[in-house]
Amino acid sequence: MVDVVSKNNDLTCRLNFKDPMQFLLVVGTTLRVNLDRDAPPGCKFFSVKCSQNVLYTISPTPNETSHLSPMLLSGNTVLHIGTKRHFHPSPSYKEKLTIRFYGEKKAFIGDAQLELVPLELSLDVDADRDGVVERNNPNKASWKWGPDGHGAVVLVNCDRESYYHEKPDCQTKGHKPNQTALKDCATMVLRTSGPPNLSGGYKLTLHISQGDSECIRVYRDETEDEARITKAKMPIFIRQCVNEFPLVLSSEVLSQEVPYPGPDQELIFYVEGLRFPDKDFDGLVTINLSLVRTSRKGVPETPVFTDKVVFRVSPWIMTPNTLQPQEVFICSTSDNYQFLKGMQDLVDRSGHKLKILQEYKNRGDRWIQDELEFGYVDSPYHRFPVVLDSPRDGDLDYFPYGDLLGRDFGYVKREAQRDAVSSLDSFGNLEVSPPVTVNGKKYPLGRILIGVAFPTTTNGRNMTQVVQDFLWAQKVQEPVALYSDWLVVGHVDEFMTFVPAPDRKGFRLLLASPHAGYKIFKKLQNDGHGQAKIFEGLKDEKPVTVDKILSDDRLRLQNEYVQDCIDWNRDVLKKELGLDEEDIIDLPILFKLVTKGKQERAVAYYPDMVNMIVLGKHLGIPKPFGPKVNGRCVLEAKMCSLMEGLGLTCTFIDDFASYHKLLGEVHCGSNVRRKPFDFKWWNVEL
């Protein structure tokens, strides 16, 4: 037998005139014979005869129409031998081809006989992303984005199927999937047709590169093998300990022989993702199947034929406020009873599920928005939520890892050096827009929004680079950098959020606006309500009149600065999200500057109403304790008039003592797991 090279390429082989030669011919490949080089001495002519399923071409093309008659042999005559395009090999069938050589005056010299053993061999994946592993898809070895794209998808197996393990399955050394865990793995199938076995030193191997081995593991399904027959005879308690899905490829095993299934058979493999796309990993992995041959003992193997498939690892995807809530999370502390009561009422009205983390779990850490971000992974065969754990590592740090991680609930974290972590690494500083279109470019999964230092700042705070790199590498929600370092806490949720809307783009961007706040207070003064007070009725808080606020020149200058910062972000958001002014609503919120270290930065003067929780049509808004006219808070009334026009209802939650005084609000103290997008990420056009 001789070697065969990759599909659509020729394998050069040499003729033997003593005995018939047997060639293993993989369907889709060709054998290349240089007739002049292999012809016996004195040969001038040749002829070709073959069985019906063999196809061949001669170059250069001879003048003779019948190849059974002697044809002139030139110095560059080459014979290319293959099979019919849709030929299906038979287990016992051999094709034959005879090359006859002639000398002067077409005198017969000798024959070279070839016995061709056809073999159909393909490594298959779900390249068209319909949930079915089709046979030999022509696009299986590449990736293309978009609705007309192709390429298989694999999930990072970052949930935890067994509670005996501490880490996600993808990080558990020696992890081997069981029947339950297979839903987290992509299916890959080896299909063969041809001889009942591979003889002559041939074998099949799967292999991957060292780099890709850090990103995936491959297991083989033995449930239909003889191992299963043997296992069925074992007692149940022993049977459960026998692994039916042995590891084939990993970082320790880059290449391994796999059984030849036989005629019209298939062998099933399961592919497990280990890493999300990141700065040093583009998300693409390649798995190769090779037919190799060792001609004699002590001689290295040579590749005969190689087929390959490409997978892309699913990105981690964030969910915006416009998606349906599934579960709301808040923390119980010794001082937040009023907040809990308001949140319970809101969630009850919205009809969603509320989970309250008691103090023994939150350990006094109330800022659940800052500790984690909910997202998900998706594929044609499975999807599940995945929590991204922030580098903040507060007292809530155990919750995402210890409570959320489990069966069909994944976990991912990017570790940062402690001295590099700042307040901007808390995930109140990580948001995502609803779907947008910008200058004709569609972002059907929205765009991630992060806060950083102003570009000209030399000593500002930034989100740590490892987290930024991770977010950029996911590709499908291209991040936008906003300027948030002007705030004491430094989070984008302190000056912006999104709410659903029935018109235009399907949402509105809400922005904090000191200008809108001063406009309301000035109108109150003009209408004779200058003595109306903010903070009235609050314990341990001195009320302040509208006249006092308007006469405070320093406060006004501070808010002009804040407005400039927000306007800078406004321009970025309009440009990067394709927004018009009609898509933006200004909320009346004042700020004040306080000194932290050597820097003056801003905090909300009264509860920051933009820092809200969005549950469908229900909004949970920090109660602003603004000035009252005829017994009603003017700021609440303004919020209601702005939101009710969008069909949204406002619930004002008292978070003053337990959150606002600690430089946070309702959004900072809550988190929402939402339903994933219906849109499939692989249909994004990049």
Side-chain angles (χ1 to χ4, degrees):
M1 286 189 169
V2 299
D3 300 339
V4 184
V5 294
S6 303
K7 287 185 178 180
N8 303 318
N9 287 288
D10 287 349
L11 167 73
T12 298
C13 64
R14 296 181 180 273
L15 300 179
N16 186 336
F17 292 91
K18 294 181 179 180
D19 300 301
M21 296 180 299
Q22 190 179 86
F23 293 82
L24 188 61
L25 181 60
V26 179
V27 174
T29 67
T30 57
L31 297 177
R32 182 180 187 274
V33 182
N34 188 317
L35 294 180
D36 179 66
R37 182 196 63 197
D38 291 352
C43 181
K44 301 296 183 181
F45 301 91
F46 72 99
S47 63
V48 180
K49 180 181 179 180
C50 65
S51 52
Q52 61 178 357
N53 290 315
V54 176
L55 294 179
Y56 68 88
T57 59
I58 302 172
S59 61
T61 304
N63 295 325
E64 292 80 0
T65 56
S66 173
H67 297 170
L68 297 175
S69 302
M71 297 169 282
L72 183 65
L73 181 66
S74 66
N76 58 350
T77 301
V78 176
L79 181 66
H80 301 272
I81 307 167
T83 62
K84 290 183 178 179
R85 181 182 297 273
H86 300 294
F87 174 65
H88 185 70
S90 167
S92 59
Y93 197 80
K94 294 180 181 178
E95 302 293 331
K96 295 182 179 180
L97 182 140
T98 300
I99 307 170
R100 177 161 289 187
F101 293 94
Y102 308 87
E104 295 288 350
K105 299 182 180 181
K106 300 181 181 179
F108 172 72
I109 296 178
D111 287 339
Q113 294 183 350
L114 310 181
E115 289 184 354
L116 306 176
V117 181
L119 170 65
E120 194 171 21
L121 193 63
S122 66
L123 189 62
D124 295 327
V125 292
D126 180 17
D128 58 5
R129 308 161 185 164
D130 65 353
V132 178
V133 178
E134 62 274 7
R135 192 181 190 94
N136 216 12
N137 188 302
N139 298 313
K140 66 184 180 181
S142 61
W143 174 271
K144 180 183 177 184
W145 292 92
D148 61 342
H150 56 258
V153 176
V154 63
L155 297 176
V156 176
N157 191 14
C158 59
D159 66 347
R160 183 178 60 195
E161 294 293 335
S162 173
Y163 290 100
Y164 295 105
H165 297 154
E166 293 185 359
K167 298 180 179 181
D169 290 343
C170 60
Q171 297 177 18
T172 301
K173 189 173 183 179
H175 163 71
K176 295 180 180 179
N178 53 28
Q179 288 283 1
T180 304
L182 291 181
K183 64 182 180 301
D184 300 331
C185 299
T187 302
M188 181 173 70
V189 181
L190 166 59
R191 294 185 169 107
T192 57
S193 297
N197 52 64
L198 299 180
S199 59
Y202 283 88
K203 65 180 183 179
L204 296 175
T205 64
L206 279 182
H207 52 103
I208 51 177
S209 69
Q210 182 68 60
D212 285 353
S213 73
E214 305 293 334
C215 306
I216 57 168
R217 287 191 289 241
V218 179
Y219 305 88
R220 181 166 69 87
D221 188 348
E222 277 191 346
T223 55
E224 299 299 330
D225 292 353
E226 290 184 8
R228 184 177 183 183
I229 299 173
T230 303
K231 184 179 173 184
K233 300 176 183 178
M234 299 177 182
I236 291 178
F237 71 93
I238 297 178
R239 191 185 313 168
Q240 290 174 343
C241 298
V242 178
N243 181 40
E244 293 180 335
F245 308 98
L247 186 64
V248 179
L249 297 178
S250 68
S251 58
E252 288 80 31
V253 184
L254 301 183
S255 179
Q256 186 168 149
E257 180 181 357
V258 295
Y260 170 67
D264 297 320
Q265 297 296 317
E266 60 184 35
L267 198 60
I268 298 175
F269 299 90
Y270 297 101
V271 183
E272 173 188 41
L274 304 180
R275 289 188 60 195
F276 281 96
D278 214 324
K279 182 180 180 180
D280 59 347
F281 173 45
D282 64 4
L284 292 175
V285 292
T286 300
I287 302 175
N288 304 279
L289 170 74
S290 289
L291 178 65
V292 298
R293 177 177 181 246
T294 302
S295 58
R296 61 185 67 88
K297 189 175 181 179
V299 176
E301 298 171 348
T302 54
V304 171
F305 163 82
T306 297
D307 203 8
K308 71 176 182 178
V309 295
V310 167
F311 286 92
R312 177 172 282 279
V313 176
S314 169
W316 178 77
I317 303 169
M318 289 182 64
T319 53
N321 285 351
T322 48
L323 290 177
Q324 187 72 10
Q326 292 185 311
E327 196 170 12
V328 180
F329 295 82
I330 57 176
C331 293
S332 172
T333 61
S334 60
D335 61 351
N336 73 343
Y337 172 77
Q338 284 298 122
F339 174 79
L340 292 181
K341 184 176 183 299
M343 288 294 294
Q344 185 70 68
D345 291 344
L346 169 69
V347 175
D348 287 347
R349 280 196 297 275
S350 65
H352 301 295
K353 180 181 178 182
L354 177 65
K355 182 169 183 177
I356 300 176
L357 276 65
Q358 301 300 325
E359 286 189 78
Y360 74 91
K361 283 195 175 182
N362 65 55
R363 297 181 292 183
D365 188 350
R366 69 196 71 209
W367 309 113
I368 193 167
Q369 180 66 224
D370 291 339
E371 186 58 46
L372 59 95
E373 188 69 48
F374 287 108
Y376 69 96
V377 292
D378 195 11
S379 73
Y381 58 89
H382 190 43
R383 74 179 178 189
F384 55 84
V386 176
V387 60
L388 176 64
D389 194 355
S390 79
R392 167 182 180 263
D393 290 349
D395 288 329
L396 265 168
D397 187 48
Y398 179 77
F399 172 67
Y401 190 83
D403 285 51
L404 293 177
L405 172 62
R407 184 167 294 178
D408 280 344
F409 209 122
Y411 172 92
V412 61
K413 184 177 184 178
R414 285 297 171 265
E415 298 287 350
Q417 293 188 5
R418 296 308 305 158
D419 58 358
V421 175
S422 72
S423 174
L424 272 67
D425 291 304
S426 297
F427 283 168
N429 196 35
L430 173 61
E431 298 298 323
V432 64
S433 79
V436 293
T437 300
V438 185
N439 297 324
K441 180 175 175 54
K442 295 181 179 179
Y443 297 90
L445 302 175
R447 298 190 69 177
I448 288 172
L449 307 170
I450 61 173
V452 298
F454 195 71
T456 59
T457 304
T458 57
N459 60 345
R461 300 165 297 170
N462 280 292
M463 179 178 284
T464 189
Q465 196 60 46
V466 292
V467 175
Q468 291 197 53
D469 290 342
F470 173 81
L471 297 172
W472 274 98
Q474 307 314 303
K475 287 187 177 294
V476 296
Q477 296 176 305
E478 183 181 334
V480 175
L482 301 175
Y483 171 39
S484 66
D485 189 38
W486 54 275
L487 290 151
V488 169
V489 177
H491 296 175
V492 294
D493 69 352
E494 296 178 75
F495 64 86
M496 60 158 291
T497 193
F498 299 93
V499 295
D503 57 358
R504 296 188 62 79
K505 296 177 174 66
F507 68 89
R508 293 290 190 278
L509 167 64
L510 308 185
L511 285 178
S513 173
H515 175 77
Y518 272 99
K519 187 175 181 180
I520 285 180
F521 290 128
K522 186 63 178 176
K523 185 176 187 306
L524 283 173
Q525 188 182 60
N526 292 341
D527 292 344
H529 300 292
Q531 290 303 301
K533 301 173 183 177
I534 65 171
F535 307 144
E536 194 167 25
L538 279 173
K539 183 181 178 180
D540 300 326
E541 196 68 29
K542 183 178 180 180
V544 182
T545 65
V546 170
D547 288 342
K548 175 78 170 175
I549 291 171
L550 293 176
S551 64
D552 189 334
D553 292 337
R554 186 171 184 274
L555 182 65
R556 180 182 291 276
L557 287 173
Q558 291 174 353
N559 275 279
E560 287 177 358
Y561 162 74
V562 168
Q563 188 66 64
D564 286 343
C565 294
I566 294 174
D567 285 346
W568 191 90
N569 287 302
R570 183 193 201 95
D571 293 339
V572 173
L573 288 162
K574 287 174 67 177
K575 176 184 177 183
E576 298 296 338
L577 300 183
L579 303 181
D580 301 316
E581 279 297 323
E582 291 80 8
D583 299 314
I584 303 173
I585 296 177
D586 292 316
L587 303 187
I589 301 165
L590 300 187
F591 292 79
K592 62 183 178 182
L593 297 186
V594 297
T595 302
K596 289 290 183 179
K598 297 181 180 180
Q599 295 277 348
E600 275 198 320
R601 291 188 169 98
V603 297
Y605 185 46
Y606 47 79
D608 187 354
M609 293 183 291
V610 78
N611 193 272
M612 64 178 69
I613 184 173
V614 180
L615 303 178
K617 294 181 179 293
H618 298 268
L619 309 180
I621 303 171
K623 186 176 179 63
F625 293 96
K628 293 181 179 179
V629 174
N630 298 325
R632 187 179 185 190
C633 172
V634 174
L635 296 176
E636 288 186 19
K638 182 63 174 178
M639 277 295 301
C640 289
S641 68
L642 292 172
M643 297 299 102
E644 288 171 357
L646 301 175
L648 305 174
T649 60
C650 299
T651 298
F652 294 94
I653 298 172
D654 181 359
D655 71 351
F656 195 91
S658 55
Y659 290 86
H660 173 71
K661 296 288 284 184
L662 301 175
L663 305 184
E665 308 287 358
V666 169
H667 187 258
C668 305
S670 61
N671 216 316
V672 183
R673 181 171 67 87
R674 299 182 184 273
K675 180 182 177 182
F677 284 99
D678 291 330
F679 183 90
K680 300 302 182 182
W681 61 266
W682 50 86
N683 289 328
V684 170
E685 298 184 78
L686 295 182

